[in-house]
Amino acid sequence: MNVLVVEDELKLADGMSRFLTYSGFEVTVAMTLSEAKQQLHQRFDAVLLDVRLPDGEGWTLIPTLKAQQPAPAIILTTARGEADDRVFGLELGADDYLVKPIVLKELEIRLKRLVKQTNMIQFGTLNIDVKSRMVQENGHPLRLTNKEYELLLYLWKHVGEALDRNRLLDEVWDYAFVGDTRTVDTHIKQLRDKSPTLKEQLKTVHRVGYRLEELS
């Protein structure tokens, strides 16, 4: 689970990062609104969003986050006297909130509950259930091998990016894989053959590799 922690209090940001990393999360920390915006090219499962930041108000990120597909779970973190901000954030689409001082175990429980609710990925007519590793298109199951599934998930996480074959080998098959880039080509062909959406959206990038294009 990838989590973005947006928090300007260094001690709190460090404490949340250490605790969540120990609990099995992958954590990215941003201490300003500007830094948070720079991280939004990545896809996160959850965002811990401080309402008051040095260069702006955290809730201004909510519409951008909710527009992502799938949208990450959003937990606001606020001081005790900021009830109006919590209400406003929830109205904008935040999923939950925590009042400082934050109890780290409570944070972990809330995160896992919310992320569990967002484990379904929709890409056009494709539906990917991350928990069960099952993929459907138009309600019909796609019979993917483990590597086809992992390749599809990696392409989705980097949608819009041109990915070269060696990078795909390193990231999906891992650096210890003994083989050549024709393995990638074979798996791409199999994905295209099994899915009309991927046949349309999974493009070849000349002399580079492949790109899963954003849906219009």
Side-chain angles (χ1 to χ4, degrees):
M1 299 181 190
N2 297 320
V3 180
L4 175 62
V5 175
V6 186
E7 172 58 59
D8 68 318
E9 295 180 33
L10 179 59
K11 186 175 180 180
L12 177 56
D14 184 61
M16 288 194 292
S17 178
R18 288 173 180 270
F19 181 83
L20 292 175
T21 300
Y22 179 79
S23 299
F25 294 87
E26 292 185 18
V27 182
T28 301
V29 175
M31 301 193 71
T32 66
L33 192 61
S34 176
E35 288 179 12
K37 290 177 179 177
Q38 292 172 20
Q39 297 297 333
L40 295 188
H41 65 281
Q42 303 182 57
R43 293 182 182 271
F44 294 98
D45 298 298
V47 178
L48 302 177
L49 187 56
D50 189 9
V51 168
R52 301 293 182 186
L53 295 165
D55 56 343
E57 295 169 311
W59 50 257
T60 60
L61 284 180
I62 294 176
T64 302
L65 294 169
K66 298 304 288 188
Q68 295 178 351
Q69 290 296 324
I74 303 171
I75 299 181
L76 298 176
T77 59
T78 69
R80 190 168 300 277
E82 295 173 344
D84 289 345
D85 289 324
R86 293 197 294 274
V87 171
F88 187 57
L90 292 169
E91 288 177 340
L92 281 177
D95 299 287
D96 204 350
Y97 69 86
L98 284 170
V99 177
K100 299 176 184 179
I102 291 172
V103 178
L104 293 177
K105 188 61 180 177
E106 179 186 4
L107 169 60
E108 178 190 7
I109 292 169
R110 289 182 184 242
L111 265 178
K112 288 182 176 178
R113 175 176 59 81
L114 287 172
V115 170
K116 185 178 181 180
Q117 296 171 1
T118 59
N119 266 342
M120 288 298 298
I121 297 169
Q122 185 170 4
F123 184 80
T125 57
L126 277 176
N127 287 285
I128 306 169
D129 187 330
V130 176
K131 188 175 181 181
S132 69
R133 294 170 68 94
M134 294 181 65
V135 182
Q136 293 186 339
E137 183 150 20
N138 286 320
H140 301 289
L142 297 185
R143 301 187 182 279
L144 303 184
T145 66
N146 284 336
K147 281 302 174 198
E148 288 168 0
Y149 171 83
E150 290 167 8
L151 177 58
L152 170 59
L153 198 61
Y154 188 83
L155 289 164
W156 173 81
K157 288 180 177 178
H158 298 274
V159 66
E161 294 183 39
L163 304 170
D164 68 59
R165 293 172 175 85
N166 286 320
R167 176 178 172 185
L168 290 170
L169 275 178
D170 287 344
E171 297 293 335
V172 178
W173 278 263
D174 82 47
Y175 71 92
F177 176 75
V178 178
D180 60 35
T181 57
R182 286 175 293 181
T183 298
V184 175
D185 298 335
T186 299
H187 282 74
I188 291 289
K189 181 180 184 301
Q190 290 166 182
L191 285 175
R192 286 170 169 164
D193 288 344
K194 292 179 178 181
S195 165
T197 296
L198 296 179
K199 187 174 184 178
E200 178 68 24
Q201 299 299 127
L202 186 44
K203 305 295 185 181
T204 300
V205 181
H206 184 56
R207 294 185 178 179
V208 178
Y210 300 96
R211 178 178 63 245
L212 182 60
E213 295 204 331
E214 297 272 9
L215 293 167
S216 57

